[in-house]
Amino acid sequence: MKNLSRGILSLCLIGALLLSACGKSDDTDTLSNSEEPTNTTSQAPSTNNTATNTENLIEPAEKEAIKDITSADFKKGVSIDFDKYKGSFFDENIISKLRNNLESVVENNKEKFKENLNKESLESIREGFFYTNENDQFMFYDLDLIEKVDEQIRVGVRFAKKTSDGSIENQGITYFFTKNEAGEWGIENID
């Protein structure tokens, strides 16, 4: 019986040592996998050969500073300080078209909404969103994206929507501007 107990004890010790050794092996592998390889090979060339020219007018810190509107803060209208963001491509022409479209939503004026759209079909894209309930009120209060990527300008607009029951929904929407066939900037999409 003594020999059997010693044998079992020996097997347990050997098993514990093996498990301990396996655990250390895994730790070593993890460390070596996180290290940089000593011989590097060149990566396959990218299939995306188109370079994009991107210019941003809003810094990340400005995005973080935007606060949501509460019912106490809500004032129907367009209260965006456009001059604060005016820059090389975000000029008076683009600002005027954006402001006109935002004001059309506040005024619930579907004809004014269509004025600066590049495509007639675009009116249906946002008409269903902005004009689903005539009692909804809108407050456009800040921008969180202004960038030009190649020949497209993207403007992110923050707004609060006050529904007929008085609840406030803070949301964002992006306007996409491109040049039309005549070479004039217009609203291509709103998403």
Side-chain angles (χ1 to χ4, degrees), residues 119-131:
K119 297 179 181 178
E120 282 295 318
S121 62
L122 181 58
E123 74 184 73
S124 65
I125 292 174
R126 284 297 122 191
E127 196 169 288
F129 178 76
F130 286 128
Y131 302 115

Side-chain angles (χ1 to χ4, degrees), residues 48 50-59 63 88-89 145-154:
N48 183 4
T50 58
T52 58
N53 293 324
T54 302
E55 184 179 350
N56 291 307
L57 297 181
I58 293 183
E59 297 297 323
K63 288 181 189 180
S88 60
F89 62 87
L145 170 73
I146 306 173
E147 69 179 4
K148 183 176 182 187
V149 179
D150 293 329
E151 292 301 312
Q152 182 182 78
I153 296 173
R154 301 175 189 162

Side-chain angles (χ1 to χ4, degrees), residues 2 4 16 20 34 38 43 51 91 107 112 167 170:
K2 237 181 194 181
L4 183 60
S20 173
S34 66
T38 53
Q43 295 179 341
D91 58 15
E107 297 163 3
K112 186 176 178 181
S167 64
N170 284 275

